[in-house]
Amino acid sequence: MAALFTCCLGCCGDGGSGHIPLKEMPIVQLDTHHMGTDVVIVKSGRRICGTGGCLANAPLHQNKSYFEFKIQSTGVWGIGVATQKVNLNQVPMGRDTNSLVLRHDGSVYHNNEEKNRLPANSLPQEGDIVGFTYDHVEMNIYLNGKNMHCPASGIRGTVYPVVYVDDSAILDCQFSDFYHPAPQGFEKILFEQQIF
């Protein structure tokens, strides 16, 4: 009995040996290491302004991802998905194979081709929430929680959420604690270690 008691004290008595501290999970936000030279990121990685684009700090590894952006101030902007090869100083995006984006005028572009377009009466305005689902094949767009039935596809490889701004546009990202519930089967972006 004394040996058992000594073993317990030896394993956990000092609190150091055998104790593995929990690491805090990283937060998905805009990545200041992957942004255009004239971009400004504020509000703890949640707001973009200036001129150019920025990737999120987490790729879309899981099968079905959802994220949102709130339009704080209108101007020239675009939101979607892109590879790390995208030119973050080029506005608008969607001109090459490295980005698939909804532009402020309601058009969805990839490889310099219009892939789809929002209905004319559904263009995002200041204060609107634009949501995106991505399932490794298709990107879909939601406006204030309503599916716009505006699918687009064509991008290949590992992609990240991407946003660009110009002409006084200001956008806020929402990668969790969404304004609107994620569509069924879709969830917030997870870092790879969170998936397993």
Side-chain angles (χ1 to χ4, degrees), residues 26-31 55-59 160-161 175 191:
I27 296 170
V28 180
Q29 60 191 20
L30 297 175
D31 188 350
L55 295 174
N57 63 344
Y160 297 73
F175 295 118
F191 280 91

Short mmCIF file of all heavy atoms in Angstrom, two decimals, residues 26-31 55-59 160-161 175 191:
data_model
loop_
_atom_site.label_atom_id
_atom_site.label_comp_id
_atom_site.label_asym_id
_atom_site.label_seq_id
_atom_site.Cartn_x
_atom_site.Cartn_y
_atom_site.Cartn_z
N PRO A 26 -5.65 27.46 -32.32
CA PRO A 26 -5.52 28.73 -33.04
C PRO A 26 -6.89 29.23 -33.51
O PRO A 26 -7.82 28.46 -33.70
CB PRO A 26 -4.61 28.39 -34.21
CG PRO A 26 -4.63 26.91 -34.33
CD PRO A 26 -5.02 26.36 -33.00
N ILE A 27 -6.99 30.52 -33.71
CA ILE A 27 -8.22 31.16 -34.17
C ILE A 27 -8.09 31.44 -35.66
O ILE A 27 -7.07 31.96 -36.11
CB ILE A 27 -8.46 32.47 -33.40
CG1 ILE A 27 -8.68 32.18 -31.92
CG2 ILE A 27 -9.64 33.24 -33.97
CD1 ILE A 27 -8.69 33.42 -31.05
N VAL A 28 -9.13 31.11 -36.41
CA VAL A 28 -9.14 31.43 -37.84
C VAL A 28 -9.39 32.93 -37.98
O VAL A 28 -10.33 33.47 -37.39
CB VAL A 28 -10.22 30.62 -38.59
CG1 VAL A 28 -10.20 30.98 -40.08
CG2 VAL A 28 -10.00 29.12 -38.39
N GLN A 29 -8.52 33.59 -38.73
CA GLN A 29 -8.61 35.03 -38.94
C GLN A 29 -7.87 35.38 -40.23
O GLN A 29 -7.31 34.51 -40.88
CB GLN A 29 -8.00 35.78 -37.76
CG GLN A 29 -6.54 35.46 -37.53
CD GLN A 29 -6.01 36.00 -36.21
OE1 GLN A 29 -6.78 36.30 -35.31
NE2 GLN A 29 -4.71 36.13 -36.10
N LEU A 30 -7.89 36.64 -40.59
CA LEU A 30 -7.14 37.09 -41.76
C LEU A 30 -5.65 37.03 -41.43
O LEU A 30 -5.24 37.35 -40.33
CB LEU A 30 -7.58 38.49 -42.16
CG LEU A 30 -9.04 38.59 -42.60
CD1 LEU A 30 -9.43 40.04 -42.87
CD2 LEU A 30 -9.32 37.73 -43.82
N ASP A 31 -4.86 36.59 -42.41
CA ASP A 31 -3.45 36.28 -42.20
C ASP A 31 -2.56 37.43 -42.66
O ASP A 31 -2.43 37.68 -43.86
CB ASP A 31 -3.11 35.00 -42.96
CG ASP A 31 -1.73 34.47 -42.67
OD1 ASP A 31 -0.92 35.17 -42.01
OD2 ASP A 31 -1.43 33.34 -43.12
N LEU A 55 -5.55 36.43 -47.53
CA LEU A 55 -6.03 35.07 -47.29
C LEU A 55 -6.32 34.89 -45.80
O LEU A 55 -5.73 35.58 -44.97
CB LEU A 55 -4.98 34.03 -47.69
CG LEU A 55 -4.61 33.94 -49.17
CD1 LEU A 55 -3.44 32.96 -49.35
CD2 LEU A 55 -5.79 33.52 -50.00
N ALA A 56 -7.18 33.95 -45.47
CA ALA A 56 -7.35 33.54 -44.08
C ALA A 56 -6.15 32.68 -43.71
O ALA A 56 -5.42 32.18 -44.58
CB ALA A 56 -8.64 32.76 -43.90
N ASN A 57 -5.94 32.47 -42.42
CA ASN A 57 -4.77 31.71 -41.96
C ASN A 57 -5.01 30.21 -41.91
O ASN A 57 -4.15 29.47 -41.44
CB ASN A 57 -4.31 32.21 -40.60
CG ASN A 57 -5.34 32.02 -39.51
OD1 ASN A 57 -6.52 31.78 -39.78
ND2 ASN A 57 -4.90 32.13 -38.26
N ALA A 58 -6.17 29.72 -42.37
CA ALA A 58 -6.46 28.29 -42.35
C ALA A 58 -7.00 27.85 -43.70
O ALA A 58 -7.95 28.45 -44.22
CB ALA A 58 -7.48 27.96 -41.26
N PRO A 59 -6.44 26.78 -44.28
CA PRO A 59 -6.99 26.26 -45.53
C PRO A 59 -8.29 25.51 -45.27
O PRO A 59 -8.59 25.13 -44.14
CB PRO A 59 -5.89 25.31 -46.01
CG PRO A 59 -5.20 24.87 -44.77
CD PRO A 59 -5.27 26.04 -43.82
N TYR A 160 -8.00 28.68 -49.59
CA TYR A 160 -8.21 29.45 -48.36
C TYR A 160 -9.32 30.47 -48.64
O TYR A 160 -9.46 30.92 -49.78
CB TYR A 160 -6.95 30.24 -48.00
CG TYR A 160 -5.75 29.41 -47.68
CD1 TYR A 160 -5.06 28.74 -48.68
CD2 TYR A 160 -5.28 29.33 -46.37
CE1 TYR A 160 -3.94 27.98 -48.39
CE2 TYR A 160 -4.15 28.57 -46.07
CZ TYR A 160 -3.49 27.90 -47.07
OH TYR A 160 -2.39 27.14 -46.78
N PRO A 161 -10.06 30.89 -47.63
CA PRO A 161 -10.93 32.04 -47.84
C PRO A 161 -10.06 33.23 -48.26
O PRO A 161 -8.95 33.40 -47.76
CB PRO A 161 -11.55 32.27 -46.46
CG PRO A 161 -11.49 30.94 -45.80
CD PRO A 161 -10.20 30.33 -46.28
N PHE A 175 -15.50 33.90 -39.05
CA PHE A 175 -15.15 32.51 -39.28
C PHE A 175 -15.74 31.58 -38.22
O PHE A 175 -15.58 30.37 -38.29
CB PHE A 175 -13.63 32.34 -39.37
CG PHE A 175 -13.03 33.05 -40.56
CD1 PHE A 175 -12.12 34.07 -40.38
CD2 PHE A 175 -13.39 32.71 -41.84
CE1 PHE A 175 -11.56 34.73 -41.48
CE2 PHE A 175 -12.85 33.36 -42.95
CZ PHE A 175 -11.93 34.37 -42.76
N PHE A 191 -8.91 24.05 -38.22
CA PHE A 191 -7.51 23.77 -38.52
C PHE A 191 -7.36 22.27 -38.62
O PHE A 191 -8.12 21.51 -38.02
CB PHE A 191 -6.61 24.32 -37.40
CG PHE A 191 -6.35 25.79 -37.51
CD1 PHE A 191 -7.18 26.70 -36.88
CD2 PHE A 191 -5.30 26.27 -38.28
CE1 PHE A 191 -6.96 28.06 -36.98
CE2 PHE A 191 -5.06 27.63 -38.40
CZ PHE A 191 -5.88 28.53 -37.75
#
